[in-house]
Amino acid sequence: MKSLDSMLSDLLADKKTVSRQLFLRRAGQGLALSGIAGGLAACQISLGQGKTDGVKPTSPPAKNTDPSKPEQPIELEAWKAETEQAAGPTPSPQPEEQRVGYAIVGLGHLSLDEILPALAQCKKSKVTALVSGNREKALKVAKQYGVPEKNIYNYQTYDQLKDNPEVQAIYIVLPNGLHAEYTIRGAKAGKHILCEKPMANTPEECRQMIEACKQANRKLMIAYRIQYEPYHAMIRDSIRQKKFGKVKFIEATNAQYTANPSHWRHVKALAGGGSLPDIGLYCLNTIRYALGEEPTEVMGYQYSTPGDPLFKEVEENVTWQMRFPSGVLANCATAYAAHENRTYKVLAEKGWMSMQPAFAYKGLSMKQSHAEGPVEYNEEPKIAEKNQFALEMDHFSDCIQQDKKPFTPGEEGLQDHIIMEAIYQSAREGKPVKLQKYDKLDTFRGTEPKRG
């Protein structure tokens, strides 16, 4: 093979007759040879020095590698400094055959956009069946998520879930007005029930759901995802520990602009109400969760734009105040025809904590401020984002596996409905409404969810 110098000499000697194409081809060969030669030289130097000779890939040091204990996170060697935010324990999902199988009932926006994708992040939960009135859509979703065709049901064959051992729990993601019926039927089919919020349309329906699950010896949990979310847990801990002193005042707003008057949210028989039970409920339930107290008095106001087809049957705006036994006052607002806003702020003696957005599915953000002498500190705590739906489903699965009472059982949902009924009553009558007083904190909640 000719050297690069020799090839260039030949080209120069033939410069009168060589074609442009031949010149480029030969020049390219020369450049390639130059690169290869350089690479070989580098390899010879490296190999000669023994830098890579004999080096083999090795597995990093690890603990908890016993295959018989899949629930234990594998511990790899540390590599980050203690000043850096840790990623947390390695994921430790249960083996597929041990996870709780869910039938997802209703394939609307929430199921398709959030719940089914969240199952990929679950450690103890999996989808094993689908219930829908649209078989073609159900077949497509089944293919997407690996659900066998035999495990597709409609609302007429729903009760046949009792014969399917692959389903241990049912997640009801239907319009509010259908929650009671499908919870009761699901409990009679022998399945545990996870039901979306609001729990139902009325307190009486809630009581029927609780009783049906009790009679069937099945667990009932309401999907209050905020009560499983890390930022909200951090605020709750700060309140209980009096990190910034005693809490004095809380304000919360949840608003969005809806645009389809024929959607089930604007049909009272299906929705039960308007902005209050749909999105205002987050303000109410989050404050109850953070304080652990139950309000003793509420005062409500309600307004709907006259002639707006969106609000023929359900309300547009609701504002309300709540008084708590410790003296905390809360001011809340919810709206169905205002630009999206989801804010939450806790004011205490020595500081405040706030979130914006506070009630969204993802992208939550927190700020806090406190003073030490003449210096004020403003902070933005950062927590690794967790999928709220995965957290709530895995908590319910853990309660099923360990036979524990869910943190947000049916009684928690019932209490919210009792308070909302009082808010509506106050708005109608134009005066405050008293509520039953409870001395115990977290009166209606069950087992604390695992964190981390």
Side-chain angles (χ1 to χ4, degrees):
M1 183 180 291
K2 290 186 177 182
S3 69
L4 179 61
D5 289 341
S6 177
M7 291 178 65
L8 288 173
S9 297
D10 290 347
L11 284 170
L12 290 171
D14 297 333
K15 60 183 179 181
K16 293 182 179 179
T17 57
V18 70
S19 69
R20 180 176 181 274
Q21 185 177 19
L22 179 60
F23 176 82
L24 291 173
R25 184 166 67 248
R26 290 185 177 178
Q29 291 172 351
L31 291 172
L33 285 169
S34 175
I36 293 171
L40 286 171
C43 288
Q44 288 171 351
I45 293 171
S46 178
L47 290 172
Q49 294 176 345
K51 290 184 178 179
T52 58
D53 191 22
V55 175
K56 297 179 180 179
T58 58
S59 181
K63 300 178 182 178
N64 294 339
T65 57
D66 186 349
S68 67
K69 298 178 180 179
E71 74 283 355
Q72 290 185 345
I74 294 174
E75 293 184 27
L76 300 176
E77 62 180 340
W79 67 279
K80 279 189 175 182
E82 293 183 357
T83 55
E84 302 303 299
Q85 186 172 15
T90 58
S92 53
Q94 288 182 337
E96 188 77 13
E97 68 275 8
Q98 294 180 16
R99 301 186 197 183
V100 172
Y102 282 76
I104 306 300
V105 183
L107 299 180
H109 284 289
L110 193 63
S111 292
L112 297 184
D113 296 344
E114 304 295 338
I115 293 170
L116 284 164
L119 282 155
Q121 299 183 44
C122 286
K123 299 178 180 179
K124 301 184 177 185
S125 316
K126 62 183 178 181
V127 56
T128 52
L130 302 172
V131 181
S132 173
N134 185 327
R135 183 165 179 79
E136 185 178 37
K137 178 171 63 172
L139 283 167
K140 182 171 183 175
V141 174
K143 286 184 179 294
Q144 292 170 336
Y145 290 95
V147 176
E149 186 174 343
K150 68 181 180 64
N151 285 357
I152 296 176
Y153 300 82
N154 57 38
Y155 300 119
Q156 290 70 46
T157 61
Y158 174 72
D159 303 302
Q160 295 176 15
L161 282 168
K162 69 179 185 298
D163 301 318
N164 192 337
E166 297 176 33
V167 175
Q168 292 85 50
I170 294 173
Y171 194 162
I172 296 175
V173 201
L174 295 168
N176 312 335
L178 300 174
H179 288 181
E181 176 187 347
Y182 284 86
T183 292
I184 294 169
R185 289 171 62 184
K188 289 180 178 179
K191 308 301 179 182
H192 302 284
I193 306 295
L194 175 58
C195 181
E196 261 303 321
K197 45 59 57 190
M199 184 173 173
N201 274 6
T202 66
E204 181 54 35
E205 288 181 344
C206 296
R207 295 185 181 96
Q208 293 171 7
M209 295 161 69
I210 293 170
E211 183 60 25
C213 290
K214 188 181 297 182
Q215 290 294 324
N217 194 27
R218 298 292 87 182
K219 299 185 187 301
L220 172 60
M221 176 174 141
I222 310 306
Y224 287 122
R225 57 185 172 80
I226 291 299
Q227 298 199 31
Y228 302 93
E229 195 282 322
Y231 279 114
H232 284 277
M234 183 177 179
I235 290 179
R236 177 184 184 237
D237 290 345
S238 296
I239 290 174
R240 306 292 180 95
Q241 296 163 9
K242 293 183 170 60
K243 180 178 180 179
F244 299 135
K246 185 179 178 182
V247 172
K248 296 294 186 176
F249 184 73
I250 300 177
E251 53 186 354
T253 300
N254 203 359
Q256 65 188 33
Y257 209 133
T258 59
N260 183 357
S262 63
H263 190 269
W264 67 261
R265 281 182 168 82
H266 294 272
V267 179
K268 189 168 185 179
L270 292 175
S275 61
L276 178 58
D278 184 23
I279 56 176
L281 178 60
Y282 285 105
C283 305
L284 167 60
N285 186 264
T286 300
I287 294 172
R288 290 181 49 242
Y289 158 71
L291 295 174
E293 301 179 52
E294 299 301 329
T296 56
E297 182 179 284
V298 297
M299 180 69 199
Y301 302 88
Q302 179 178 324
Y303 177 81
S304 296
T305 302
D308 192 324
L310 289 169
F311 310 114
K312 288 181 179 180
E313 298 187 27
V314 300
E315 80 279 354
E316 177 182 357
N317 302 329
V318 180
T319 66
W320 72 99
Q321 291 77 45
M322 296 184 286
R323 184 190 301 274
F324 290 87
S326 63
V328 175
L329 298 177
N331 188 43
C332 305
T334 185
Y336 252 180
H339 184 60
E340 183 175 297
N341 182 274
R342 311 187 192 284
T343 58
Y344 172 47
K345 192 167 189 177
V346 178
L347 285 75
E349 293 172 310
K350 303 174 184 177
W352 53 259
M353 297 169 284
S354 71
M355 291 184 66
Q356 168 65 301
F359 311 119
Y361 298 142
K362 53 181 69 73
L364 274 59
S365 178
M366 177 182 169
K367 293 182 180 180
Q368 60 186 30
S369 176
H370 71 284
E372 293 182 11
V375 181
E376 181 172 313
Y377 294 88
N378 293 294
E379 304 165 328
E380 293 188 30
K382 298 297 182 184
I383 304 176
E385 187 165 77
K386 303 286 186 180
N387 188 292
Q388 299 166 39
F389 294 93
L391 292 174
E392 70 178 12
M393 283 189 281
D394 272 352
H395 172 72
F396 191 47
S397 295
D398 185 61
C399 289
I400 292 170
Q401 293 172 341
Q402 304 299 324
D403 192 21
K404 299 183 295 188
K405 183 178 180 179
F407 187 60
T408 52
E411 291 79 4
E412 174 77 353
L414 169 60
Q415 177 65 1
D416 275 336
H417 275 277
I418 290 172
I419 297 170
M420 288 190 292
E421 286 292 306
I423 293 169
Y424 281 133
Q425 178 185 344
S426 174
R428 289 193 306 269
E429 298 176 354
K431 61 182 181 181
V433 173
K434 299 285 187 180
L435 294 164
Q436 182 176 345
K437 184 177 180 180
Y438 297 91
D439 296 324
K440 176 186 172 185
L441 291 181
D442 300 308
T443 302
F444 305 103
R445 296 181 186 92
T447 307
E448 285 278 343
K450 296 177 181 178
R451 299 188 190 177

